Amino acid sequence: MQNETMPNFLKNRAFLTPERKAVYFQEQTLTWIELYHRSLEVGGQLQALGVQKDQYVGVLLKNHLDTVVILFALQLLGVKAVMLNNRLTSAELVWQLNDSKASFLILEDSFAEIDLKINQQIASMKTITKERLFRIEPVVPDIEEEISLSDICTIMYTSGTTGNPKGVIQTFGNHWWSSVGSALNLGFMESDCWLCAVPLFHISGFSILMRSVIYGMPIVLHENFNVERTIEDIHEKKVTIMSVVGTMLTRIVEQLEARRLPDHFRCMLLGGGPAPLPLLQACVAKEIPVFQTYGMTESSSQIVTLSPEYSLTKLGSAGKPLFPAQLKIVKDNGSSAEAGEAGEIAVKGANVTPGYLYRPEVMKEKYSDGWFYTGDIGYLDEEGFLYVIDRRSDLIISGGENIYPAEIEAVLLAHPAVADAGVTSIDDVKWGQVPMAFIVKRQGMDVTADELQPFCLDRLAKYKVPKTFYFLEKLPRNAAKKLLRRKLREWVSKNEDSIS
Amino acid sequence: MQNETMPNFLKNRAFLTPERKAVYFQEQTLTWIELYHRSLEVGGQLQALGVQKDQYVGVLLKNHLDTVVILFALQLLGVKAVMLNNRLTSAELVWQLNDSKASFLILEDSFAEIDLKINQQIASMKTITKERLFRIEPVVPDIEEEISLSDICTIMYTSGTTGNPKGVIQTFGNHWWSSVGSALNLGFMESDCWLCAVPLFHISGFSILMRSVIYGMPIVLHENFNVERTIEDIHEKKVTIMSVVGTMLTRIVEQLEARRLPDHFRCMLLGGGPAPLPLLQACVAKEIPVFQTYGMTESSSQIVTLSPEYSLTKLGSAGKPLFPAQLKIVKDNGSSAEAGEAGEIAVKGANVTPGYLYRPEVMKEKYSDGWFYTGDIGYLDEEGFLYVIDRRSDLIISGGENIYPAEIEAVLLAHPAVADAGVTSIDDVKWGQVPMAFIVKRQGMDVTADELQPFCLDRLAKYKVPKTFYFLEKLPRNAAKKLLRRKLREWVSKNEDSIS
């Protein structure tokens, strides 16, 4: 029993190190005690508006100091935050809010249009704009002095091969173990400071917030990625660690030109797939210590990391697991793969989700013997370094955002002139990958890319909308009529020059 | 369920960072992969001798590289180590070995006399000297690939007010959470190196070993405390952290004279009660960063720590709890004390023991609502800093060793000429405290200090034997005949000049 409870993270941190810096945002700085008092007040405002312990509450907010305050206020109240991607359409948001049975939605004042649309479609849920929230007279909040590591902290939706997004449950324990595993691997010093220019609604950004409260480490929060401001803040705020995806790192390297990052900068944590050799070589030349990682929403961020000393000798590898986690490669016949043999990547550890919200059946599919089957394909070399060959067979990663082909296909198939649709990715210099659609028109009907693009834009976040549409007679499907996306990818790679 | 298992600590560490240094001992250095292979071989030798998973095995070993290898070999096999204090008499050892139902005792070749005595007294248990162990042809060991955090790792005996020592259970989870709490508080860097000149059979030393495997950090192991060698190794081995008790720190400070410790040395972790002002001032002058701590065998080492920046402003305080732990002061009526009010110190956290071996009834007394009642008396100031007033009412700490008066009294009362006996401590310049006995002679019989001293030496470790015997008519006892040791202490402090 005593293994399960811990003091409330924010309250404890404010008690232990009240005067240490917690967050830098634009011209503002808050210490832990200041952040605690602000979160406590907002907690009182949320309770005044009827928000209660154990509810699910949607959070549709930008990276902002207020967001940090609101997220910690929810933790103080024991409210579960449904972290919503700002780039989703109102239809996608409605789906996730309904699915999570959210009681409230807290959102930016500037999202008024979305606010209206959502209000029209979900009568049972109330929306709260930041402006309204901060005007309310607070009550004295009833806060959770202790958390249980098995309590749900956040829900983050991810799609899969089946199309509809599923809410990944992240407990306080998942975040705790992820933070601790990261600290044991990367080290932690009182002088550390983590720059967060990735979205807080993604696990990449949210995990920085959790490390910050657990370690007692300040974060420098950026509303979005701006390469000049990044380099400036690394110098001025003495940033030591930063989380990036490939496109961000490329821009940093370009912007630096002949310059270097300052000596105190010690870790560039790179997610979203292995970095290409020229980028790594440029980082080596500029002495940027790149730690490549592999992780997912279900593992509450990184679970495998490659130290910079291996970045060239183990080119393309994601590294070895964090100390508390385990990794294995499982072949189609269910046995463990030998070194060099490819198979499905299975992971195990207390940072791995206990399941998907209201979907115990999905977990039964994905869990076996305590191991979580990621759907990703990879292999281990003789020394146990992981090489990821293919993300969830179908996953497209575009500028750090996950895109699931099945979700886009479902939208395309809803168009009256589309008989069949298949989506895969095409390499892109700026975004890494972008989605591309293959369309079979319905007999006797016509449709063009110019019609399908706005049709998708109404229903899908912009980054999910295919950049290219290719019309053909028939899609490659197997005997069971399962779409062979691998064939589409093969076709794309053969014809890449003529498409792009 | 997935919260509970982790990969075997040593095997995982050897896999993750095979080439990093694990341990320096005299002229020898082992990397993690070398330590793993040696422990694996010794594991095979232990199994060849009949040692099996889930057994309790007594370990009576000095601080030595072999001891590190043997302790990790036991962990590989899933064997529970009963950590025996080298300074105990054979009678005390027999008691603890019997009580723990140990199947084997692994001991130094030089402890032949004890070996003989123990063999005469416990027929059911086999002793294994190091020499014999290392000569045996090993089998291929059957090792534990995973550990459960609730599995027992070690047993360490402590006495209490009732006289007989009790075996404190320390699970892998207790050690894990203690190590993690320490890392979050002190920080951890890849360049860290911890000097261990405190006994491995105490939690102070054993916890360094556990941190070392969990962090992937080398330790410099000394057979015993030698001030010259300590300072030399801090320089040569680039030691960054060291665990000390007050007497050790005093000698380091004296030895340094006008010199300083090198800049890489960043933490002097001081246990065994608050440091006196002159010592702290000397440390400030020499820029030695002293972290004072409060902890016990039951909390698997430190649970409260004071950072050096508070060492003078919060003089006498033990600090604030580690992040995963909690602390409260409970008054006699069971309610929580206000700031400044003294009461019993209660602690909570996953580093706290689940109980005492084969003694569930003791845990029922000491645990309430998930809180462990330490028996120590203290108070919190307005800011929540802990001040320990009195260790377990009766505990005597002499040169870092815990001494329980009741245990000595029981021995004295066994002497035919002793009618009543009470033990308390007297301050000592070298050891901090030393035990002192008050004796009531049996009517018509005579006995002297010169007779009682050897009587005690046969039955008690040397450090427990009273340095002074005082004969009187009657001991202060309350109505229920409970000895009022507080009265003895008052008497001692009034008469200190005439006694010492």
Side-chain angles (χ1 to χ4, degrees), chain A residues 1-3 5 12-13 15-16 146 149 176-177 184 187-189 320-321 323 326 348 350 352 367 383, chain B residues 2-3 5 12-13 15-16 146 149 176-177 184 187-189 320-321 323-324 326 348 350 367 370 383:
Chain A
M1 177 196 62
Q2 73 272 28
N3 281 308
T5 59
N12 193 34
R13 176 49 61 200
F15 163 62
L16 293 176
E146 282 188 344
L149 290 186
W176 166 263
W177 282 84
L184 292 177
F188 163 65
M189 293 174 251
K320 288 181 178 180
F323 192 85
Q326 296 180 73
K348 188 173 179 178
V352 178
Y367 250 106
E383 290 170 82
Chain B
Q2 73 271 26
N3 281 308
T5 58
N12 193 32
R13 176 49 63 201
F15 162 62
L16 293 177
E146 283 188 346
L149 291 185
W176 168 262
W177 283 83
L184 292 178
F188 163 65
M189 292 174 255
K320 289 182 178 179
F323 192 85
Q326 295 179 76
K348 187 173 179 177
Y367 250 106
E383 290 171 83

Side-chain angles (χ1 to χ4, degrees), chain A residues 166-425:
Chain A
K166 301 180 289 290
V168 177
I169 294 170
Q170 294 160 337
T171 62
F172 281 98
N174 292 149
H175 292 304
W176 166 263
W177 282 84
S178 165
S179 296
V180 165
S182 177
L184 292 177
N185 185 45
L186 303 177
F188 163 65
M189 293 174 251
E190 209 181 309
S191 58
D192 274 332
C193 177
W194 204 305
L195 195 152
C196 176
V198 288
L200 286 172
F201 57 73
H202 274 183
I203 188 59
S204 57
F206 192 83
S207 63
I208 298 172
L209 199 66
M210 296 308 281
R211 289 182 204 117
S212 128
V213 71
I214 290 169
Y215 304 173
M217 167 187 71
I219 63 172
V220 176
L221 183 65
H222 285 184
E223 196 163 343
N224 42 46
F225 175 63
N226 173 304
V227 67
E228 290 88 1
R229 211 148 40 83
T230 293
I231 294 172
E232 193 183 303
D233 269 1
I234 287 176
H235 281 90
E236 284 185 11
K237 304 284 194 333
K238 300 251 181 290
V239 168
T240 59
I241 311 182
M242 179 179 184
S243 298
V244 290
V245 293
T247 47
M248 292 162 72
L249 183 54
T250 303
R251 288 167 68 187
I252 292 170
V253 169
E254 287 167 0
Q255 183 74 19
L256 279 172
E257 294 176 347
R259 289 174 298 160
R260 295 269 187 285
L261 289 177
D263 282 347
H264 60 250
F265 187 84
R266 67 182 188 85
C267 170
M268 191 68 87
L269 194 64
L270 173 65
L277 181 59
L279 178 57
L280 288 174
Q281 285 172 328
C283 289
V284 169
K286 289 190 198 309
E287 292 173 353
I288 301 174
V290 177
F291 292 73
Q292 296 181 77
T293 69
Y294 164 73
M296 62 213 80
T297 309
E298 286 90 340
S299 64
S300 312
S301 92
Q302 33 160 348
I303 187 163
V304 177
T305 306
L306 185 75
S307 314
E309 64 260 41
Y310 294 111
S311 71
L312 293 182
T313 53
K314 297 287 180 183
L315 187 73
S317 171
K320 288 181 178 180
L322 300 186
F323 192 85
Q326 296 180 73
L327 182 68
K328 69 176 178 183
I329 305 294
V330 186
K331 291 191 289 186
D332 285 347
N333 65 10
S335 65
S336 282
E338 299 291 309
E341 273 189 304
E344 184 171 1
I345 301 169
V347 295
K348 188 173 179 178
N351 58 325
V352 178
T353 181
Y356 298 91
L357 193 61
Y358 312 130
R359 285 183 176 74
E361 75 287 358
V362 180
M363 231 22 214
K364 271 188 211 145
E365 277 167 37
K366 297 204 168 212
Y367 250 106
S368 170
D369 242 356
W371 289 85
F372 175 79
Y373 284 69
T374 64
D376 296 341
I377 306 299
Y379 69 92
L380 301 174
D381 71 7
E382 294 287 343
E383 290 170 82
F385 285 85
L386 174 68
Y387 291 76
V388 181
I389 301 173
D390 210 352
R391 290 293 306 238
R392 287 175 210 217
S393 25
D394 306 316
L395 181 65
I396 300 168
I397 306 181
S398 184
E401 293 281 359
N402 288 353
I403 302 174
Y404 298 87
E407 194 182 356
I408 306 173
E409 287 159 7
V411 166
L412 289 168
L413 287 168
H415 191 282
V418 172
D420 201 358
V423 170
T424 185
S425 66

Side-chain angles (χ1 to χ4, degrees), chain B residues 433-447:
Chain B
Q433 298 182 308
V434 291
M436 168 181 185
F438 291 81
I439 305 290
V440 180
K441 293 181 202 169
R442 204 168 286 281
Q443 231 172 338
M445 296 185 80
D446 199 20
V447 66

Side-chain angles (χ1 to χ4, degrees), chain B residues 213-234:
Chain B
V213 71
I214 289 169
Y215 305 174
M217 168 187 71
I219 63 173
V220 175
L221 183 65
H222 285 184
E223 195 163 344
N224 42 46
F225 175 63
N226 174 302
V227 68
E228 290 88 358
R229 211 148 39 84
T230 293
I231 294 172
E232 193 184 304
D233 269 0
I234 288 177

